[in-house]
Each structure stands twice: as C-alpha cells, then as structure tokens.
Amino acid sequence: MTRQEPAAPETEVGGSEHARQVRRVAFSGLLGTVIEYYDFLLYSTMAALVFGTLYFPASNPATSTIAAFGTLAAGYVARPLGGLLFGHFGDRLGRKSALVTSMLLMGIASVLIGVLPTYGTLGLTAPLLLVLLRVVQGIAVGGEYGGAALMVIEHADPRRRGAWVGIMQMGSPLGSLLSNGAVALVTLLPKEQFLAWGWRIPFLASAVLLIIGLYVRLSVVESPLFREAVEAGKAREREPVPLVQVLRKPRAVLLACAAGIGPFALTALIGSHSVAYASGLGYELPDIMRAHLLISLTGLVGIPLFSALSDRIGRRRVLMAGAIGAFAFAFPMYALVGSGSVTALTAALVIAQVFQNLMYAPLAPMLSEMFGTRVRYTGVSLGYQMASLLGAGFTPMVAAALVAGAGGSSLPLSWIIVVAVGVSTTAVLLISETRGRDLRGEPAG
C-alpha cells in the first residue's frame, strides 16, 4: 500500500486564492505545452512534406525523406539533454525560471526556422543550421514537459492530480491541432507557393503564441513543495547534484523511461510517419491532414478524460488498458490504412490515438509520484525524454527505411508497435501503483 497524502482543507491553503493559483498554474502549463508541441510537431510534419525537398535534395525522394526524418531524430536526441539541463536548474533554482527559459528557447528557434534560407541559397550551411535549430527545439521541449507537469501536480489536491495535470496535457493535442490546422491551411496554396514561402507562415506565427505564453507563465508562483524542500534543505549539508541522486538508485528512472516507450512509438507512427506513408500509398494530402485534425480532437477529449480516470482506478490500470488495445490493433490498423479508403484511414488513426491516449495520459502523474521533490524535475524529465528518444526519436526514420526495404509492406510497422508496447507493459507491471502517494515523503523503491 502507498501512503496517502492528505488533502489540505481550503482553510489551510488560502481558500479561494489557492484555488485560483492552481487554475493559473494549470493554464500556464497548458499554454506552455501548446507552444512546445505546436512548434515541435510542426517541424515533424514539415519534415515529411517539404524539408526533404528544400534542405536535403536527392535524386530519390525516399532518400530525401529519410534524411529529413534524420533531423527529426536530432531533436529527440537533444530532449534528454534538455531534461538534464532544465531538470538540474529546476531542482536547484526553481521550477518557474526553468520553464520561462524553455519557452523562450522554443519560440526563438521556431521563428528562426521560419526565416531560414534553403539549400538552394546557402548550400550545405542550410541543412546544418536546420539541424542546429532542431536541436535547440529538442533542448527546450526537454525542459518543458516535466517542469510543467510537476508544477501542476505540486500545487494540486492529491486526490485530483490526474484531473489537473490532464488539463496541462491537453496542450499536446491542442498544439497538434493548431499545428495540423496551420499546415492544412497553407497546403491549400498552389504547390509552388507552398514550397516557396507558404510553409514558413506557421513557424512565424509561433511568435504570437510565445508572447501570450510568457505573459501567463510570468504570473504564476513557485511550487509550494519546492519552497518547502528548499527550506528543509538549508538545515542539511549540501546535497549532491540531482542527477547523481537519481542515478544512485536508477530503477525509478529506468522504469519511467521504459513505461513511456510504447505511447511515444505510437505517437511517431500515428503522427509524422503516417503523413509520408499515406502519401506514398496515394492518399491526397488534404485528406491526410483532415484525418490528423480528427486525431488531435480525439486527444483533446481522451487525454484529460483518461488522466482524470487514473485518479479513480489507478495509473497502472489505465495504462494497461491502452497497451492491450494497442497490441490487438497493431496489425488491423495498417490493413485499414492500406485499403485506399479515406474513411478507413481516418478510423484507423483515430482508434490508434485512443489507445495511445490511454497509455500516455497517466504518465505525467505516475512519473511525478515516483521521485522525491529535490530530484523530481530531473527524474521526471530524464525518464520522459529518454522515452521520447527511444520510442519516437528514431521511429519515423527506421519505419521509413524498413518499409522501403520490405518493398512497401506494412508488417514492420505493426511489429514496431508490438515491441514498443511490450516494453512499456513490462515496465508498468514492475511499477507499484503511485496514485495518492505523499509527495513530501520519500518515493517507494
């Protein structure tokens, strides 16, 4: 049994003022996640649509696409680095300052991508700069998610952590929805205009989101649990750096990483890879993007619903329900995609998204409840971002190469799902239920 953290009565926490602050923190986390995922996923979609042509020209279109997906992987490689960097300063100096910095980095990198000259203008310098900016994006998003999630969780009523963090996690599908909507609009342009300048508009528009997000984020207060831990720490000798503390007992971070591999692999296959794969099967781009808009809407409902559900029945049960569904649907999914029917394609991607949401939604509260306060930012960020790297970072590139090597067969894609979800299932079976755990105490081993 895990020790339950008692809910603080309203009179003890400042009544309505505390409630307003929790809402403000949740809204700040939502906006931050929207911005990070809008920019990060926008790059993923453009890698499938234009970056191969504009920055990695080659005689074989498949080669250009694989090269473009390679830059996509560079961002995922940088995410654990961002998690370590921002996790260290977030655990030492505070959650708020780390989150403000991560938001600034992401916004600036995205705007610069929107004005970056192509290979035809700069030659080899253009793809090198593109990779550099993608790495900056990866570092930024590596620091955002863990910090935003635990800021909400450390403010929230212990009985409703899943529900509150579910609001923050809506930023992922909202960012995807905005990204896909922006791409859908600019792809209505004639192809020549889209390739010449239209694709840049969504990147430049991220500046507006950045200004709004910074305004809200600067208005929130620091995590109360972090402040308590800092005061308690003043009476002790200087602690080792957070990363050293996490790695002294690596079981928690290894299990956190493994638990996230399955949902991230599904994200990569449902998201950026499905655009290139469906295009290769002959589907029209507007039809694919409309399907992706429905995927985002599905996540907008599913993620907060399943995150709140984990408050009632436990994190592990919700995640396992998604894993079982993903196992069962791995092969039927690509049979539907390969049917040539737009309706079947859309249904396949939406159903897969439901299973992904079931696996993804409980991750933030579960991971946050696995680490102590003085190492929580580092532990959550490292586990989550390593999962993103292993589960999603190389998946589109590997999937494209395997499909090309298999003569267009979808079987390798289904097996990627089976293996990745199998890793997550094993990890979840080894993690004790975390729901309601006292965040002020030491996490259970």
PDB file of all heavy atoms in Angstrom, residues 176-203:
ATOM      1  N   SER A 176      -0.928  20.039 -31.324  1.00  0.00           N
ATOM      2  CA  SER A 176      -1.025  19.250 -32.558  1.00  0.00           C
ATOM      3  C   SER A 176      -2.155  19.759 -33.446  1.00  0.00           C
ATOM      4  O   SER A 176      -2.006  19.852 -34.673  1.00  0.00           O
ATOM      5  CB  SER A 176      -1.253  17.777 -32.202  1.00  0.00           C
ATOM      6  OG  SER A 176      -1.414  16.998 -33.353  1.00  0.00           O
ATOM      7  N   LEU A 177      -3.296  20.100 -32.812  1.00  0.00           N
ATOM      8  CA  LEU A 177      -4.438  20.613 -33.568  1.00  0.00           C
ATOM      9  C   LEU A 177      -4.085  21.919 -34.265  1.00  0.00           C
ATOM     10  O   LEU A 177      -4.368  22.103 -35.457  1.00  0.00           O
ATOM     11  CB  LEU A 177      -5.622  20.816 -32.624  1.00  0.00           C
ATOM     12  CG  LEU A 177      -6.939  21.288 -33.237  1.00  0.00           C
ATOM     13  CD1 LEU A 177      -7.488  20.231 -34.178  1.00  0.00           C
ATOM     14  CD2 LEU A 177      -7.957  21.593 -32.142  1.00  0.00           C
ATOM     15  N   LEU A 178      -3.447  22.826 -33.527  1.00  0.00           N
ATOM     16  CA  LEU A 178      -3.039  24.091 -34.129  1.00  0.00           C
ATOM     17  C   LEU A 178      -2.017  23.870 -35.241  1.00  0.00           C
ATOM     18  O   LEU A 178      -2.074  24.499 -36.297  1.00  0.00           O
ATOM     19  CB  LEU A 178      -2.455  25.013 -33.060  1.00  0.00           C
ATOM     20  CG  LEU A 178      -3.439  25.632 -32.064  1.00  0.00           C
ATOM     21  CD1 LEU A 178      -2.685  26.414 -30.997  1.00  0.00           C
ATOM     22  CD2 LEU A 178      -4.434  26.534 -32.779  1.00  0.00           C
ATOM     23  N   SER A 179      -1.077  22.966 -34.982  1.00  0.00           N
ATOM     24  CA  SER A 179      -0.051  22.666 -35.979  1.00  0.00           C
ATOM     25  C   SER A 179      -0.665  22.084 -37.244  1.00  0.00           C
ATOM     26  O   SER A 179      -0.392  22.543 -38.361  1.00  0.00           O
ATOM     27  CB  SER A 179       0.969  21.696 -35.379  1.00  0.00           C
ATOM     28  OG  SER A 179       1.869  21.240 -36.364  1.00  0.00           O
ATOM     29  N   ASN A 180      -1.517  21.064 -37.060  1.00  0.00           N
ATOM     30  CA  ASN A 180      -2.152  20.441 -38.225  1.00  0.00           C
ATOM     31  C   ASN A 180      -3.090  21.411 -38.939  1.00  0.00           C
ATOM     32  O   ASN A 180      -3.188  21.401 -40.175  1.00  0.00           O
ATOM     33  CB  ASN A 180      -2.923  19.191 -37.801  1.00  0.00           C
ATOM     34  CG  ASN A 180      -2.010  18.040 -37.436  1.00  0.00           C
ATOM     35  OD1 ASN A 180      -0.946  17.871 -38.030  1.00  0.00           O
ATOM     36  ND2 ASN A 180      -2.406  17.245 -36.465  1.00  0.00           N
ATOM     37  N   GLY A 181      -3.777  22.250 -38.157  1.00  0.00           N
ATOM     38  CA  GLY A 181      -4.653  23.234 -38.780  1.00  0.00           C
ATOM     39  C   GLY A 181      -3.883  24.241 -39.608  1.00  0.00           C
ATOM     40  O   GLY A 181      -4.284  24.597 -40.722  1.00  0.00           O
ATOM     41  N   ALA A 182      -2.741  24.688 -39.053  1.00  0.00           N
ATOM     42  CA  ALA A 182      -1.907  25.636 -39.798  1.00  0.00           C
ATOM     43  C   ALA A 182      -1.372  25.011 -41.081  1.00  0.00           C
ATOM     44  O   ALA A 182      -1.361  25.648 -42.141  1.00  0.00           O
ATOM     45  CB  ALA A 182      -0.757  26.109 -38.908  1.00  0.00           C
ATOM     46  N   VAL A 183      -0.937  23.752 -40.984  1.00  0.00           N
ATOM     47  CA  VAL A 183      -0.428  23.067 -42.177  1.00  0.00           C
ATOM     48  C   VAL A 183      -1.548  22.853 -43.191  1.00  0.00           C
ATOM     49  O   VAL A 183      -1.363  23.034 -44.399  1.00  0.00           O
ATOM     50  CB  VAL A 183       0.224  21.723 -41.796  1.00  0.00           C
ATOM     51  CG1 VAL A 183       0.612  20.940 -43.049  1.00  0.00           C
ATOM     52  CG2 VAL A 183       1.460  21.957 -40.938  1.00  0.00           C
ATOM     53  N   ALA A 184      -2.723  22.469 -42.680  1.00  0.00           N
ATOM     54  CA  ALA A 184      -3.854  22.252 -43.587  1.00  0.00           C
ATOM     55  C   ALA A 184      -4.193  23.526 -44.363  1.00  0.00           C
ATOM     56  O   ALA A 184      -4.529  23.469 -45.553  1.00  0.00           O
ATOM     57  CB  ALA A 184      -5.071  21.771 -42.798  1.00  0.00           C
ATOM     58  N   LEU A 185      -4.102  24.674 -43.695  1.00  0.00           N
ATOM     59  CA  LEU A 185      -4.400  25.934 -44.368  1.00  0.00           C
ATOM     60  C   LEU A 185      -3.362  26.269 -45.437  1.00  0.00           C
ATOM     61  O   LEU A 185      -3.713  26.624 -46.566  1.00  0.00           O
ATOM     62  CB  LEU A 185      -4.481  27.071 -43.343  1.00  0.00           C
ATOM     63  CG  LEU A 185      -5.737  27.118 -42.479  1.00  0.00           C
ATOM     64  CD1 LEU A 185      -5.614  28.216 -41.420  1.00  0.00           C
ATOM     65  CD2 LEU A 185      -6.978  27.363 -43.339  1.00  0.00           C
ATOM     66  N   VAL A 186      -2.079  26.152 -45.079  1.00  0.00           N
ATOM     67  CA  VAL A 186      -1.056  26.557 -46.049  1.00  0.00           C
ATOM     68  C   VAL A 186      -0.923  25.550 -47.192  1.00  0.00           C
ATOM     69  O   VAL A 186      -0.471  25.909 -48.282  1.00  0.00           O
ATOM     70  CB  VAL A 186       0.314  26.795 -45.374  1.00  0.00           C
ATOM     71  CG1 VAL A 186       0.233  27.968 -44.412  1.00  0.00           C
ATOM     72  CG2 VAL A 186       0.829  25.546 -44.679  1.00  0.00           C
ATOM     73  N   THR A 187      -1.336  24.311 -46.978  1.00  0.00           N
ATOM     74  CA  THR A 187      -1.283  23.346 -48.082  1.00  0.00           C
ATOM     75  C   THR A 187      -2.403  23.569 -49.097  1.00  0.00           C
ATOM     76  O   THR A 187      -2.412  22.929 -50.156  1.00  0.00           O
ATOM     77  CB  THR A 187      -1.352  21.891 -47.566  1.00  0.00           C
ATOM     78  OG1 THR A 187      -2.492  21.734 -46.712  1.00  0.00           O
ATOM     79  CG2 THR A 187      -0.087  21.517 -46.822  1.00  0.00           C
ATOM     80  N   LEU A 188      -3.336  24.475 -48.779  1.00  0.00           N
ATOM     81  CA  LEU A 188      -4.350  24.847 -49.768  1.00  0.00           C
ATOM     82  C   LEU A 188      -3.756  25.754 -50.851  1.00  0.00           C
ATOM     83  O   LEU A 188      -4.362  25.940 -51.911  1.00  0.00           O
ATOM     84  CB  LEU A 188      -5.519  25.558 -49.082  1.00  0.00           C
ATOM     85  CG  LEU A 188      -6.346  24.704 -48.102  1.00  0.00           C
ATOM     86  CD1 LEU A 188      -7.396  25.572 -47.411  1.00  0.00           C
ATOM     87  CD2 LEU A 188      -7.002  23.530 -48.820  1.00  0.00           C
ATOM     88  N   LEU A 189      -2.590  26.333 -50.579  1.00  0.00           N
ATOM     89  CA  LEU A 189      -1.909  27.151 -51.581  1.00  0.00           C
ATOM     90  C   LEU A 189      -1.456  26.287 -52.755  1.00  0.00           C
ATOM     91  O   LEU A 189      -1.241  25.080 -52.598  1.00  0.00           O
ATOM     92  CB  LEU A 189      -0.685  27.830 -50.956  1.00  0.00           C
ATOM     93  CG  LEU A 189      -0.925  28.890 -49.886  1.00  0.00           C
ATOM     94  CD1 LEU A 189       0.381  29.210 -49.164  1.00  0.00           C
ATOM     95  CD2 LEU A 189      -1.504  30.150 -50.521  1.00  0.00           C
ATOM     96  N   PRO A 190      -1.291  26.880 -53.927  1.00  0.00           N
ATOM     97  CA  PRO A 190      -0.672  26.128 -55.027  1.00  0.00           C
ATOM     98  C   PRO A 190       0.689  25.582 -54.584  1.00  0.00           C
ATOM     99  O   PRO A 190       1.400  26.227 -53.792  1.00  0.00           O
ATOM    100  CB  PRO A 190      -0.520  27.177 -56.133  1.00  0.00           C
ATOM    101  CG  PRO A 190      -1.579  28.183 -55.827  1.00  0.00           C
ATOM    102  CD  PRO A 190      -1.693  28.231 -54.322  1.00  0.00           C
ATOM    103  N   LYS A 191       1.040  24.408 -55.071  1.00  0.00           N
ATOM    104  CA  LYS A 191       2.243  23.735 -54.597  1.00  0.00           C
ATOM    105  C   LYS A 191       3.479  24.614 -54.707  1.00  0.00           C
ATOM    106  O   LYS A 191       4.334  24.620 -53.803  1.00  0.00           O
ATOM    107  CB  LYS A 191       2.455  22.436 -55.382  1.00  0.00           C
ATOM    108  CG  LYS A 191       3.612  21.594 -54.868  1.00  0.00           C
ATOM    109  CD  LYS A 191       3.715  20.264 -55.598  1.00  0.00           C
ATOM    110  CE  LYS A 191       4.861  19.428 -55.039  1.00  0.00           C
ATOM    111  NZ  LYS A 191       4.967  18.111 -55.725  1.00  0.00           N
ATOM    112  N   GLU A 192       3.601  25.379 -55.788  1.00  0.00           N
ATOM    113  CA  GLU A 192       4.780  26.230 -55.979  1.00  0.00           C
ATOM    114  C   GLU A 192       4.889  27.286 -54.876  1.00  0.00           C
ATOM    115  O   GLU A 192       5.967  27.546 -54.343  1.00  0.00           O
ATOM    116  CB  GLU A 192       4.741  26.909 -57.347  1.00  0.00           C
ATOM    117  CG  GLU A 192       4.809  25.951 -58.532  1.00  0.00           C
ATOM    118  CD  GLU A 192       3.486  25.233 -58.785  1.00  0.00           C
ATOM    119  OE1 GLU A 192       2.441  25.679 -58.218  1.00  0.00           O
ATOM    120  OE2 GLU A 192       3.486  24.223 -59.512  1.00  0.00           O
ATOM    121  N   GLN A 193       3.740  27.897 -54.539  1.00  0.00           N
ATOM    122  CA  GLN A 193       3.742  28.917 -53.489  1.00  0.00           C
ATOM    123  C   GLN A 193       3.963  28.302 -52.107  1.00  0.00           C
ATOM    124  O   GLN A 193       4.643  28.894 -51.254  1.00  0.00           O
ATOM    125  CB  GLN A 193       2.428  29.695 -53.510  1.00  0.00           C
ATOM    126  CG  GLN A 193       2.229  30.514 -54.783  1.00  0.00           C
ATOM    127  CD  GLN A 193       0.921  31.282 -54.775  1.00  0.00           C
ATOM    128  OE1 GLN A 193       0.413  31.623 -53.704  1.00  0.00           O
ATOM    129  NE2 GLN A 193       0.372  31.554 -55.950  1.00  0.00           N
ATOM    130  N   PHE A 194       3.397  27.118 -51.888  1.00  0.00           N
ATOM    131  CA  PHE A 194       3.604  26.427 -50.614  1.00  0.00           C
ATOM    132  C   PHE A 194       5.084  26.136 -50.395  1.00  0.00           C
ATOM    133  O   PHE A 194       5.635  26.390 -49.314  1.00  0.00           O
ATOM    134  CB  PHE A 194       2.802  25.126 -50.599  1.00  0.00           C
ATOM    135  CG  PHE A 194       3.090  24.246 -49.408  1.00  0.00           C
ATOM    136  CD1 PHE A 194       2.795  24.667 -48.119  1.00  0.00           C
ATOM    137  CD2 PHE A 194       3.658  22.984 -49.579  1.00  0.00           C
ATOM    138  CE1 PHE A 194       3.063  23.856 -47.017  1.00  0.00           C
ATOM    139  CE2 PHE A 194       3.934  22.175 -48.493  1.00  0.00           C
ATOM    140  CZ  PHE A 194       3.631  22.612 -47.221  1.00  0.00           C
ATOM    141  N   LEU A 195       5.759  25.627 -51.414  1.00  0.00           N
ATOM    142  CA  LEU A 195       7.182  25.305 -51.295  1.00  0.00           C
ATOM    143  C   LEU A 195       8.042  26.566 -51.234  1.00  0.00           C
ATOM    144  O   LEU A 195       9.092  26.580 -50.568  1.00  0.00           O
ATOM    145  CB  LEU A 195       7.636  24.427 -52.463  1.00  0.00           C
ATOM    146  CG  LEU A 195       7.108  22.994 -52.479  1.00  0.00           C
ATOM    147  CD1 LEU A 195       7.509  22.291 -53.766  1.00  0.00           C
ATOM    148  CD2 LEU A 195       7.625  22.213 -51.269  1.00  0.00           C
ATOM    149  N   ALA A 196       7.602  27.628 -51.890  1.00  0.00           N
ATOM    150  CA  ALA A 196       8.406  28.853 -51.939  1.00  0.00           C
ATOM    151  C   ALA A 196       8.359  29.630 -50.628  1.00  0.00           C
ATOM    152  O   ALA A 196       9.387  30.069 -50.112  1.00  0.00           O
ATOM    153  CB  ALA A 196       7.938  29.730 -53.095  1.00  0.00           C
ATOM    154  N   TRP A 197       7.163  29.803 -50.061  1.00  0.00           N
ATOM    155  CA  TRP A 197       7.045  30.615 -48.849  1.00  0.00           C
ATOM    156  C   TRP A 197       5.915  30.190 -47.901  1.00  0.00           C
ATOM    157  O   TRP A 197       5.956  30.493 -46.710  1.00  0.00           O
ATOM    158  CB  TRP A 197       6.841  32.084 -49.205  1.00  0.00           C
ATOM    159  CG  TRP A 197       5.677  32.324 -50.148  1.00  0.00           C
ATOM    160  CD1 TRP A 197       5.730  32.412 -51.515  1.00  0.00           C
ATOM    161  CD2 TRP A 197       4.294  32.508 -49.806  1.00  0.00           C
ATOM    162  NE1 TRP A 197       4.483  32.630 -52.048  1.00  0.00           N
ATOM    163  CE2 TRP A 197       3.574  32.706 -51.008  1.00  0.00           C
ATOM    164  CE3 TRP A 197       3.600  32.534 -48.611  1.00  0.00           C
ATOM    165  CZ2 TRP A 197       2.190  32.900 -51.051  1.00  0.00           C
ATOM    166  CZ3 TRP A 197       2.219  32.737 -48.628  1.00  0.00           C
ATOM    167  CH2 TRP A 197       1.542  32.928 -49.856  1.00  0.00           C
ATOM    168  N   GLY A 198       4.936  29.469 -48.402  1.00  0.00           N
ATOM    169  CA  GLY A 198       3.768  29.149 -47.579  1.00  0.00           C
ATOM    170  C   GLY A 198       4.091  28.336 -46.341  1.00  0.00           C
ATOM    171  O   GLY A 198       3.492  28.546 -45.271  1.00  0.00           O
ATOM    172  N   TRP A 199       5.045  27.408 -46.442  1.00  0.00           N
ATOM    173  CA  TRP A 199       5.379  26.561 -45.298  1.00  0.00           C
ATOM    174  C   TRP A 199       5.991  27.351 -44.143  1.00  0.00           C
ATOM    175  O   TRP A 199       5.964  26.898 -42.994  1.00  0.00           O
ATOM    176  CB  TRP A 199       6.352  25.458 -45.731  1.00  0.00           C
ATOM    177  CG  TRP A 199       7.719  25.944 -46.119  1.00  0.00           C
ATOM    178  CD1 TRP A 199       8.140  26.323 -47.352  1.00  0.00           C
ATOM    179  CD2 TRP A 199       8.851  26.115 -45.243  1.00  0.00           C
ATOM    180  NE1 TRP A 199       9.456  26.715 -47.322  1.00  0.00           N
ATOM    181  CE2 TRP A 199       9.910  26.595 -46.042  1.00  0.00           C
ATOM    182  CE3 TRP A 199       9.061  25.904 -43.878  1.00  0.00           C
ATOM    183  CZ2 TRP A 199      11.176  26.882 -45.494  1.00  0.00           C
ATOM    184  CZ3 TRP A 199      10.319  26.180 -43.335  1.00  0.00           C
ATOM    185  CH2 TRP A 199      11.362  26.662 -44.150  1.00  0.00           C
ATOM    186  N   ARG A 200       6.492  28.550 -44.423  1.00  0.00           N
ATOM    187  CA  ARG A 200       7.144  29.349 -43.382  1.00  0.00           C
ATOM    188  C   ARG A 200       6.132  30.016 -42.437  1.00  0.00           C
ATOM    189  O   ARG A 200       6.464  30.322 -41.282  1.00  0.00           O
ATOM    190  CB  ARG A 200       8.019  30.429 -44.023  1.00  0.00           C
ATOM    191  CG  ARG A 200       9.148  29.879 -44.888  1.00  0.00           C
ATOM    192  CD  ARG A 200       9.980  31.021 -45.470  1.00  0.00           C
ATOM    193  NE  ARG A 200      11.034  30.530 -46.349  1.00  0.00           N
ATOM    194  CZ  ARG A 200      12.233  30.126 -45.947  1.00  0.00           C
ATOM    195  NH1 ARG A 200      12.529  30.153 -44.653  1.00  0.00           N
ATOM    196  NH2 ARG A 200      13.132  29.702 -46.812  1.00  0.00           N
ATOM    197  N   ILE A 201       4.933  30.263 -42.915  1.00  0.00           N
ATOM    198  CA  ILE A 201       3.951  31.025 -42.141  1.00  0.00           C
ATOM    199  C   ILE A 201       3.663  30.403 -40.780  1.00  0.00           C
ATOM    200  O   ILE A 201       3.659  31.104 -39.748  1.00  0.00           O
ATOM    201  CB  ILE A 201       2.655  31.219 -42.963  1.00  0.00           C
ATOM    202  CG1 ILE A 201       2.940  32.075 -44.203  1.00  0.00           C
ATOM    203  CG2 ILE A 201       1.558  31.850 -42.096  1.00  0.00           C
ATOM    204  CD1 ILE A 201       1.757  32.200 -45.137  1.00  0.00           C
ATOM    205  N   PRO A 202       3.408  29.071 -40.672  1.00  0.00           N
ATOM    206  CA  PRO A 202       3.129  28.506 -39.349  1.00  0.00           C
ATOM    207  C   PRO A 202       4.272  28.670 -38.351  1.00  0.00           C
ATOM    208  O   PRO A 202       4.033  28.844 -37.158  1.00  0.00           O
ATOM    209  CB  PRO A 202       2.878  27.015 -39.660  1.00  0.00           C
ATOM    210  CG  PRO A 202       2.415  26.997 -41.090  1.00  0.00           C
ATOM    211  CD  PRO A 202       3.210  28.080 -41.751  1.00  0.00           C
ATOM    212  N   PHE A 203       5.522  28.622 -38.835  1.00  0.00           N
ATOM    213  CA  PHE A 203       6.648  28.824 -37.927  1.00  0.00           C
ATOM    214  C   PHE A 203       6.688  30.264 -37.405  1.00  0.00           C
ATOM    215  O   PHE A 203       6.925  30.501 -36.216  1.00  0.00           O
ATOM    216  CB  PHE A 203       7.967  28.494 -38.643  1.00  0.00           C
ATOM    217  CG  PHE A 203       8.202  27.024 -38.838  1.00  0.00           C
ATOM    218  CD1 PHE A 203       7.970  26.433 -40.071  1.00  0.00           C
ATOM    219  CD2 PHE A 203       8.641  26.226 -37.799  1.00  0.00           C
ATOM    220  CE1 PHE A 203       8.180  25.074 -40.272  1.00  0.00           C
ATOM    221  CE2 PHE A 203       8.858  24.868 -37.972  1.00  0.00           C
ATOM    222  CZ  PHE A 203       8.627  24.294 -39.213  1.00  0.00           C
TER     223      PHE A 203
END
